[in-house]
């Protein structure tokens, strides 16, 4: 009986030993947690001027992680985080285990699933750069001679949520070490509007095309430095809406949009303009160029990112007379849906 008890005790010790053996060295394990903080983003989660304009939510299904050496000149490891939960504040929280030995590192994490925003020069912490795709060449023709000399025209960037640990120290520890980081956007969101008269003269379903010059083309988001030396242009579309803050009895029709940018270049005073281009019902294009420097200098722009253009744009009436044109001034009516069965088969 005594030998049986000793044998059972030995088996229990062996079982406990196997169960407690770690898969990694305890000094090398860490749990990375990255939280997407979306509070306080103008025109997205706060300071909404026009609730009629839909804004895409800031969300992600996958983050990318880059781990550099202490100098930031070499990528030691990289990977992706797809495990997501919601924390007590309602923010998306991504987490993944890491294997990091004792030492000093630089770490970056950002939302990976974006359409227009591109990441380049990722081999170094100080050079990793976010930019957007260049619009097709035929977009330039939409603005005619206005597009000459403005530089490259880019699509509006999406919100790039970046978490940084520029001086990450891993000390000797037992058990898993938690590395908790908050990711914030590196993009500014603006609301822009201009009052219009003659809205009925615009072509049906036509949107106003806008080209804003004097903005930054990229951001080196390791050190978070926007490009201030290469002015670029930004393309976006504006839609018809009404100003919800219009006084009773006043004209409320506006063209407006919510757009993103890597930022206004402070020194680009003479280049900070917007060109608006619309199509009227007679097929003619009309443009308006506005100096945006005084608009960006208002309290609304600085504090709430509202670009409220006070002057009115009068959309001219079509040249073609009502009821028909013909010749070189055709009158195009609305489309009608016609359903017809077309037989397919051998000829009888």
């Amino acid at each position: 009986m005594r030998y049986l008890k000793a044998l059972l005790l030995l088996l229990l010790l062996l079982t406990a030993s196997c169960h407690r053996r770690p898969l990694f060295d305890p000094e090398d394990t860490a749990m990375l947690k990255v939280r997407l903080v979306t509070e306080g983003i103008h025109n997205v989660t706060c300071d909404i001027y026009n609730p009629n304009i839909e804004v895409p939510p800031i969300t992600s299904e996958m983050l990318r992680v880059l781990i550099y050496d202490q100098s930031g000149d070499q990528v030691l490891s990289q990977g992706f985080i797809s495990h997501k939960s919601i924390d007590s504040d309602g923010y998306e929280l991504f987490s993944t285990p890491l294997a990091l030995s004792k030492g000093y590192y630089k770490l970056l994490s950002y939302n990976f699933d974006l359409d227009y925003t591109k990441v380049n020069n990722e081999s170094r912490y100080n050079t990793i750069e976010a930019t957007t795709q260049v619009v097709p060449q035929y977009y330039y023709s939409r603005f005619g001679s206005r597009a000459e000399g403005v530089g490259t025209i880019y699509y509006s960037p999406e919100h790039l949520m970046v978490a940084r640990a520029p001086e990450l120290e891993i000390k000797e520890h037992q058990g898993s070490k938690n590395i908790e980081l908050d990711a914030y956007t590196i993009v500014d969101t603006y609301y822009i509007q201009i009052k219009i008269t003659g809205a009925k003269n615009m072509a049906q379903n036509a949107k106003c095309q806008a080209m804003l010059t004097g903005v930054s083309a990229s951001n080196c988001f390791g050190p978070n430095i926007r490009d201030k030396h290469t002015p670029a242009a930004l393309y976006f579309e504006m839609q018809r809406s009404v100003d919800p803050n219009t006084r009773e009895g006043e004209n409320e029709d506006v063209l407006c949009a919510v757009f993103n940018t890597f930022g206004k270049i402070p020194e680009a005073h003479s280049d900070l303009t917007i060109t608006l281009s619309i199509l009227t019902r007679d097929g003619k294009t009309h443009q308006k160029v506005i100096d945006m420097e005084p608009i960006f200098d208002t309290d609304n722009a600085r504090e709430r990112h509202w670009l409220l253009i006070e002057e009115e744009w009068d959309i001219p009436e079509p040249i073609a007379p009502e009821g028909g044109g013909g010749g070189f001034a055709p009158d195009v009516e609305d489309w009608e849906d016609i359903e017809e069965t077309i037989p397919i088969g051998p000829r009888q």
Side-chain angles (χ1 to χ4, degrees):
M1 188 68 179
R2 192 181 343 176
Y3 293 112
L4 181 58
K5 289 183 178 179
L7 181 59
L8 290 173
L9 179 60
L10 178 60
L11 289 174
L12 287 172
L13 289 174
L14 289 174
T15 303
S17 176
C18 292
H19 180 72
R20 293 174 61 87
R21 183 175 299 163
L23 297 177
F24 300 98
D25 187 333
E27 295 183 0
D28 291 347
T29 60
M31 178 61 70
L32 175 63
K33 298 180 180 180
V34 181
R35 189 173 66 148
L36 303 188
V37 179
T38 56
E39 182 183 8
I41 301 178
H42 299 296
N43 301 298
V44 179
T45 57
C46 72
D47 295 328
I48 306 298
Y49 183 89
N50 191 341
N52 299 317
I53 305 303
E54 184 178 356
V55 178
I58 299 177
T59 183
S60 181
E61 296 301 325
M62 182 176 294
L63 304 187
R64 189 182 185 193
V65 180
L66 292 164
I67 300 175
Y68 298 84
D69 63 5
Q70 184 178 5
S71 67
D73 293 334
Q74 182 181 0
V75 177
L76 300 178
S77 179
Q78 59 177 301
F80 298 91
I81 316 176
S82 58
H83 183 269
K84 181 174 72 170
S85 60
I86 304 298
D87 72 359
S88 58
D89 295 322
Y91 297 134
E92 295 182 357
L93 179 66
F94 292 79
S95 58
T96 187
L98 296 178
L100 286 176
S101 58
K102 182 178 67 173
Y104 293 88
Y105 306 91
K106 294 182 185 296
L107 185 150
L108 278 177
S109 181
Y110 62 91
N111 48 326
F112 185 72
D113 45 354
L114 299 174
D115 294 325
Y116 292 112
T117 304
K118 302 187 300 179
V119 174
N120 305 313
N121 305 321
E122 61 191 30
S123 60
R124 295 182 178 180
Y125 182 88
N126 287 334
T127 62
I128 186 169
E129 176 188 54
T131 185
T132 62
Q133 295 182 17
V134 179
V135 301
Q137 191 62 38
Y138 64 83
Y139 276 46
Y140 288 70
S141 63
R142 297 179 178 182
F143 299 97
S145 60
R146 302 290 184 184
E148 298 177 3
V150 301
T152 307
I153 304 177
Y154 294 89
Y155 284 111
S156 180
E158 298 116 314
H159 279 278
L160 188 69
M161 306 293 290
V162 178
R164 306 176 183 85
E167 297 179 357
L168 177 61
E169 180 183 5
I170 301 298
K171 300 179 180 179
E172 292 184 2
H173 61 278
Q174 292 295 322
S176 182
K177 173 182 175 62
N178 285 331
I179 303 173
E180 299 181 358
L181 301 175
D182 286 341
Y184 296 92
T185 182
I186 63 169
V187 167
D188 293 336
T189 299
Y190 284 89
Y191 172 80
I192 183 171
Q193 79 168 28
I194 180 172
K195 293 187 176 183
I196 60 171
T197 57
K200 65 181 184 301
N201 298 326
M202 292 179 60
Q204 189 176 20
N205 298 326
K207 291 186 177 180
C208 174
Q209 298 167 353
M211 177 181 65
L212 178 67
T213 63
V215 296
S216 178
S218 62
N219 183 310
C220 286
F221 62 87
N224 195 21
I225 299 176
R226 293 174 172 178
D227 183 2
K228 299 180 180 179
H229 306 291
T230 311
L234 190 68
Y235 172 86
F236 57 93
E237 294 181 343
M238 300 173 67
Q239 65 187 66
R240 286 178 55 182
S241 184
V242 294
D243 185 346
N245 300 297
T246 303
R247 297 175 182 175
E248 186 176 357
E250 294 184 356
N251 174 35
E252 61 179 4
D253 291 333
V254 297
L255 292 172
C256 61
V258 172
F259 69 92
N260 299 331
T261 172
F262 287 119
K264 164 187 173 294
I265 298 180
E267 294 80 10
H269 298 291
S270 60
D271 296 329
L272 192 61
T273 62
I274 191 168
T275 300
L276 306 179
S277 180
I278 60 100
L279 191 69
T280 50
R281 289 188 291 111
D282 56 359
K284 293 188 177 297
T285 298
H286 300 269
Q287 292 186 347
K288 186 174 184 64
V289 180
I290 301 168
D291 179 11
M292 293 300 295
E293 187 62 36
I295 310 298
F296 272 96
D297 198 37
T298 61
D299 291 339
N300 276 328
R302 287 193 300 263
E303 299 172 8
R304 290 170 284 274
H305 287 189
W306 295 345
L307 304 176
L308 307 179
I309 303 171
E310 294 299 330
E311 62 179 291
E312 284 190 341
W313 186 11
D314 182 26
I315 309 299
E317 293 185 5
I319 295 178
E322 291 292 336
F328 293 99
D331 183 21
V332 180
E333 297 181 352
D334 294 340
W335 289 98
E336 294 183 1
D337 293 332
I338 301 176
E339 295 185 4
E340 182 179 353
T341 302
I342 302 176
I344 299 177
R347 182 179 301 175
Q348 299 296 328

